[in-house]
Amino acid sequence: MNINNLTSVAASDGETDATAPVVEFYDPPMCCPTGLCGPTLDETLLTVNEMVLRLQEEGVSVARYQMTSHPQKFLGQPSVMQLVQTHQMAALPIVVVGGRIIKSGAYPTEAEVRSALASATEVR
């Protein structure tokens, strides 16, 4: 799988739970969808990409958006837009799990994402 094409990819086996919460990354501007295309690798982006792949392999629906290529996704999420309007680019990345912002201004750890997924699943 090409790591530069991971914008909104489902689990590798095609099996996702339609009722499961979605993990959405509202990324800062990057040279490509994952930020892993430059001459040097950003360790944080590499870690995030590895987390995304693990979650997708487990059937979690994960989407990544950038304002320049997915403006409607930003505009369609009022809480995300409010953060961007208030804090501008310092608000990014913003990570949403099950419709709830779990972190802004930095990427969450995998433990934080899994905790948010567990909480979102309990609410359903």
Side-chain angles (χ1 to χ4, degrees):
M1 177 180 290
N2 182 342
I3 61 175
N4 293 325
N5 292 326
L6 293 175
T7 52
S8 184
V9 181
S12 59
D13 63 0
E15 299 290 324
T16 58
D17 182 348
T19 62
V22 175
V23 178
E24 298 171 291
F25 290 83
Y26 293 84
D27 289 310
M30 295 187 277
C31 58
C32 65
T34 62
L36 298 176
C37 50
T40 59
L41 287 181
D42 179 321
E43 287 297 320
T44 300
L45 293 175
L46 185 58
T47 300
V48 168
N49 191 64
E50 290 170 351
M51 171 180 45
V52 167
L53 291 173
R54 275 191 296 278
L55 291 169
Q56 290 173 332
E57 287 171 0
E58 294 170 16
V60 176
S61 181
V62 179
R64 293 184 78 173
Y65 310 118
Q66 290 186 40
M67 196 173 290
T68 54
S69 50
H70 305 98
Q72 293 305 319
K73 293 296 185 179
F74 278 77
L75 293 169
Q77 184 67 268
S79 55
V80 167
M81 280 308 298
Q82 182 179 8
L83 275 173
V84 171
Q85 289 169 343
T86 302
H87 303 285
Q88 292 147 9
M89 289 301 145
L92 301 174
I94 300 169
V95 181
V96 177
V97 175
R100 186 175 69 87
I101 293 173
I102 66 162
K103 195 155 193 175
S104 137
Y107 288 102
T109 64
E110 189 167 340
E112 289 172 313
V113 172
R114 289 186 184 282
S115 175
L117 283 167
S119 294
T121 303
E122 290 172 5
V123 173
R124 292 182 179 259

